[in-house]
Amino acid sequence: MGNADTQSPERTDEATGDAGAVDGWSAGNWLLIGVLTGLTLVGIGLSAGLVPVDGWLTAPGGAVVVPPYVYLYASLGALGYVFTKLMTNVEAYDEYSEIEELAEMALRMPAAWVLAAGVYLLFAAGAAFTNGGSGQQYAAGLAFLVGLYVNVAVKSLGSLADRLLGRSSADS
């Protein structure tokens, strides 16, 4: 009916020689995805106040909490994308070999959680400053941006350090 590669999802990955690979994705790839998703879930629990932190993660004056509904609606948005993508091209996902494409779509969920939390923090920061609130939301939103754009933050901090130390960019 077909060759062995299309009938069996497990085969050797030609690039790494991993016998447990599925269409080029090794067990290590799946483990990494699982670890990162687990860390995202821990972050959600902490940021939404679902996991007690007993002061070690709180700023003076209390913790900056992301409401659980932010994660709910981010999930619904990601699921909306996945379902519409699948429904508009459902016949393309009829074999096990499309697992990579399905995994990519599924990874939108944890990505949506992280990004929605950051966007919430940034909008909360804007509301805090216009309504005379504290700068905790601003600091949390800024921390999110630094995490999202690590390379930009490193270059910006390096440039700031050069200006503070009186060095020109040619000196460094």
Side-chain angles (χ1 to χ4, degrees), residues 59 63-65 117-130 133-146:
V64 176
V65 176
V119 169
Y120 173 82
L121 291 171
L122 292 172
F123 279 110
F129 279 116
T130 58
S134 71
Q136 292 176 355
Q137 290 93 352
Y138 178 74
L142 190 59
F144 169 78
L145 283 178
V146 168

Side-chain angles (χ1 to χ4, degrees), residues 1-49:
M1 190 152 180
N3 64 26
D5 283 345
T6 58
Q7 290 180 356
S8 171
E10 290 197 357
R11 59 179 178 230
T12 302
D13 181 19
E14 294 159 9
T16 64
D18 185 0
V22 177
D23 291 333
W25 282 39
S26 68
N29 290 24
W30 291 108
L31 178 64
L32 180 63
I33 289 169
V35 167
L36 293 175
T37 301
L39 288 172
T40 301
L41 291 171
V42 168
I44 288 172
L46 292 170
S47 68

Side-chain angles (χ1 to χ4, degrees), residues 9-163:
E10 290 197 357
R11 59 179 178 230
T12 302
D13 181 19
E14 294 159 9
T16 64
D18 185 0
V22 177
D23 291 333
W25 282 39
S26 68
N29 290 24
W30 291 108
L31 178 64
L32 180 63
I33 289 169
V35 167
L36 293 175
T37 301
L39 288 172
T40 301
L41 291 171
V42 168
I44 288 172
L46 292 170
S47 68
L50 302 175
V51 177
V53 292
D54 296 329
W56 62 273
L57 279 178
T58 59
V64 176
V65 176
V66 177
Y69 68 79
V70 169
Y71 300 111
L72 170 66
Y73 292 114
S75 300
L76 291 174
L79 286 171
Y81 170 84
V82 171
F83 285 127
T84 55
K85 178 83 172 175
L86 288 173
M87 292 309 295
T88 58
N89 199 11
V90 73
E91 65 277 351
Y93 302 104
D94 60 348
E95 293 184 18
Y96 190 78
S97 63
E98 284 89 15
I99 190 72
E100 290 175 19
E101 292 176 49
L102 294 171
E104 283 178 26
M105 284 189 271
L107 286 174
R108 286 183 171 272
M109 184 78 70
W113 296 333
V114 171
L115 294 173
V119 169
Y120 173 82
L121 291 171
L122 292 172
F123 279 110
F129 279 116
T130 58
N131 296 330
S134 71
Q136 292 176 355
Q137 290 93 352
Y138 178 74
L142 190 59
F144 169 78
L145 283 178
V146 168
L148 188 60
Y149 297 106
V150 173
N151 293 341
V152 173
V154 168
K155 289 177 185 176
S156 298
L157 289 172
S159 176
L160 175 63
D162 286 343
R163 288 192 304 270

